[in-house]
Amino acid sequence: MQLSLKTLLVFLVILNSFFISAQVTVGNGSYTTTFPGTDSAGRNGFPSGTPQLSGNAIGKPVPTNDWWSKLIKENHADNLFNYPMTMKTVNSGLVVTYIPWGVIDDIQPIIVGVGSLNQSQATVSDYSDWTVTMNWGNQFNATSGIGMPFIYFEKAASETASITINSGTVSVTNEMITVTDARNGGDFAIYAPIGSVWIQNGNTYTSSLNGNNYWSMAMIPLTASNVATVANEYKKYAYVFPTNTEVSWSFNESTSVVSSTFTATVDVKDGSVTHTNMLLGLLPHQWSNLASGSPVPIEHIYETARGQLKTLDGNSFSVQNTFKGILPTLPNLGHYSPSYSPAALDNKISQIENDALATWTDSYNEGQVMNRLIQTARIADETGNIEARDKIILTIKERLEDWLTYQSGEVAFLFYYNSTWSAMLGYPSGHGQDNNINDHHFHWGYFIHAAAFIEQFEPGWVNQWGD
């Protein structure tokens, strides 16, 4: 009997320590590191599997909202838009195409791979601030980056480079292949190492790469008057591979200037090549805010869904943005309009001020409704309706603090940290925020906005809840 009691006590101590360790306290708030389970309706999904990583990517925190994040959740990924190109992974390698708008389809203009590649899964073997390396069973990998007109390939020593070209007009000149009008007017150039030979068999071109293990591919600008001329011009960039990309930031509080420096570290694959710069692409929010003294993109221009992509012969550039503040709401200047009616505005506020937050909801709809209430409270504050404002502040604060606090056994209005995916999940979730690790950047954007709202009217709240 004494032994049984002792065993029971030990068990209870272990069980209690488990629950304590599962709850992580942060200021006045807390979250759980143990899946809380489903609610009465069977909601609260658990992210399945593990990140599909290999090589250098193993052990790194997993980015779940990057342009390539689909690669870590699914065996193959489509709609990989790096601007200007569109890509998807398949068993036989990387499909490269040009989709000016919409989503990728089943047409495969160009497939880049090796030999008889047939891998049912492509993993992420490395990534940096704006590049990713996709890997097919260590037989073949491809590196692509946002705004990069080039894709960079490497293969295992025993493999043979293979390009399958299903559409477009093909021309082979020594180590270079050009493909005109492969899809939607997109033209491409493929560069094997100098001295290489491409062997054609039907619509497939193979090469031993002159004993090397690398090659690259570029999209030619749609505005190029002569594809061959630009393809030859681009050859100087073909052997300059990115090994890392990094963005460093600084903020000058006295001037409110945010400075960002983008730097690519490179590996020049061919020792006879004297050019050591990449061809980098800058999107409008970058080239329109270049810092004084930064290199300027004066090379070719690509049209993309994000606006003009201007290219730079260089491995670094700097951007500066001045933060001029954001008004949380517009000032009460409506009385300058002849049709302005304070009474009508007060009536609108009165229709919302007593609204409660739903007990049956999810992280997405909760954020939207909180935003509606917050906007109303700020308008009420501007019009002097302090009673309505304070009602809404209380409503938001109570629910937000509930979300930011985990209590053992609860299954709703809580945060769970999943270490496998490096992801903070909120329950109840919405739109695949839990199972698919979807849309976290704007779900939690709503919550950060709500926290800023509370701090605006109750200064000091953030000292207890901000962390």
Side-chain angles (χ1 to χ4, degrees):
M1 183 67 179
Q2 287 180 336
L3 181 62
S4 298
L5 180 60
K6 183 177 179 180
T7 302
L8 178 61
L9 288 172
V10 169
F11 172 76
L12 290 174
V13 168
I14 293 172
L15 186 65
N16 186 54
S17 65
F18 170 79
F19 282 113
I20 291 172
S21 65
Q23 183 176 12
V24 179
T25 300
V26 189
N28 282 12
S30 57
Y31 62 92
T32 178
T33 56
T34 301
F35 177 61
T38 59
D39 65 8
S40 58
R43 299 185 304 172
N44 296 356
F46 186 83
S48 60
T50 58
Q52 297 182 165
L53 306 174
S54 59
N56 293 335
I58 295 175
K60 288 186 177 182
V62 182
T64 56
N65 68 330
D66 220 323
W67 64 278
W68 49 265
S69 289
K70 196 173 184 181
L71 283 162
I72 62 174
K73 197 78 169 65
E74 301 180 10
N75 287 345
H76 285 301
D78 54 14
N79 295 316
L80 300 173
F81 289 91
N82 80 326
Y83 312 116
M85 288 173 276
T86 310
M87 296 161 284
K88 73 175 179 180
T89 67
V90 294
N91 285 10
S92 55
L94 185 70
V95 174
V96 182
T97 184
Y98 171 62
I99 307 290
W101 52 268
V103 297
I104 199 168
D105 49 30
D106 293 331
I107 296 174
Q108 301 179 355
I110 303 173
I111 309 172
V112 185
V114 293
S116 57
L117 186 64
N118 186 23
Q119 291 285 343
S120 61
Q121 181 188 80
T123 60
V124 171
S125 62
D126 206 359
Y127 56 88
S128 59
D129 281 357
W130 74 94
T131 61
V132 63
T133 299
M134 301 161 265
N135 181 271
W136 284 255
N138 295 322
Q139 292 176 264
F140 165 70
N141 65 46
T143 298
S144 177
I146 285 289
M148 290 183 179
F150 275 81
I151 306 173
Y152 307 88
F153 308 107
E154 292 180 290
K155 67 174 185 66
S158 59
E159 299 291 344
T160 300
S162 175
I163 315 291
T164 300
I165 303 171
N166 295 314
S167 60
T169 302
V170 181
S171 176
V172 181
T173 306
N174 299 321
E175 64 272 354
M176 184 175 71
I177 301 174
T178 57
V179 187
T180 57
D181 196 17
R183 183 83 194 279
N184 298 315
D187 306 317
F188 297 88
I190 299 149
Y191 305 91
I194 294 169
S196 299
V197 175
W198 290 103
I199 299 172
Q200 181 182 0
N201 183 9
N203 61 344
T204 298
Y205 299 79
T206 59
S207 176
S208 65
L209 305 179
N210 198 24
N212 295 290
N213 71 334
Y214 61 87
W215 72 108
S216 65
M217 175 180 184
M219 181 176 169
I220 306 300
L222 297 176
T223 54
S225 57
N226 187 296
V227 172
T229 299
V230 178
N232 279 292
E233 176 190 334
Y234 273 20
K235 188 180 287 189
K236 64 186 177 183
Y237 304 112
Y239 312 113
V240 185
F241 280 46
T243 57
N244 187 50
T245 56
E246 185 175 4
V247 188
S248 59
W249 290 274
S250 64
F251 176 60
N252 186 320
E253 290 192 21
S254 63
T255 62
S256 290
V257 172
V258 181
S259 299
S260 308
T261 299
F262 295 73
T263 304
T265 306
V266 301
D267 176 20
V268 181
K269 294 290 189 180
D270 192 312
S272 67
V273 174
T274 58
H275 200 80
T276 58
N277 282 343
M278 293 182 62
L279 186 66
L280 296 179
L282 280 66
L283 288 162
H285 68 283
Q286 295 168 328
W287 55 253
S288 63
N289 293 288
L290 288 173
S292 175
S294 170
V296 177
I298 57 173
E299 308 301 323
H300 291 280
I301 293 174
Y302 294 82
E303 296 296 334
T304 79
R306 302 298 184 197
Q308 286 191 335
L309 182 79
K310 297 184 179 183
T311 57
L312 167 72
D313 181 334
N315 296 329
S316 183
F317 63 92
S318 297
V319 170
Q320 284 190 338
N321 298 90
T322 301
F323 178 67
K324 298 179 180 178
I326 299 173
L327 287 175
T329 193
L330 294 175
N332 184 23
L333 299 178
H335 51 272
Y336 287 110
S337 169
S339 60
Y340 174 61
S341 170
L345 187 59
D346 281 341
N347 183 51
K348 287 183 180 292
I349 294 170
S350 70
Q351 293 174 37
I352 298 174
E353 65 182 275
N354 294 310
D355 285 1
L357 288 163
T359 55
W360 182 261
T361 185
D362 59 60
S363 56
Y364 178 66
N365 287 291
E366 181 86 300
Q368 287 193 317
V369 176
M370 285 196 296
N371 181 54
R372 178 175 181 263
L373 287 168
I374 289 166
Q375 301 300 342
T376 303
R378 285 175 169 156
I379 292 171
D381 181 65
E382 286 293 324
T383 61
N385 191 341
I386 305 305
E387 182 180 355
R389 180 201 71 184
D390 289 349
K391 283 182 184 178
I392 296 173
I393 290 173
L394 182 61
T395 299
I396 297 293
K397 185 171 74 166
E398 286 182 348
R399 177 59 60 84
L400 187 59
E401 289 180 358
D402 189 6
W403 274 98
L404 297 177
T405 307
Y406 169 73
Q407 295 177 343
S408 179
E410 71 171 329
V411 292
F413 305 116
L414 65 100
F415 279 98
Y416 155 58
Y417 180 73
N418 181 281
S419 58
T420 300
W421 288 97
S422 310
M424 189 72 87
L425 308 177
Y427 296 117
S429 71
H431 294 269
Q433 175 262 120
D434 50 359
N435 294 83
N436 294 330
I437 319 180
N438 234 21
D439 303 336
H440 288 188
H441 44 307
F442 65 84
H443 281 230
W444 309 145
Y446 279 125
F447 283 58
I448 293 167
H449 175 234
F453 164 72
I454 300 300
E455 178 65 16
Q456 178 185 354
F457 293 104
E458 294 192 7
W461 178 88
V462 73
N463 295 331
Q464 283 75 49
W465 297 92
D467 291 345

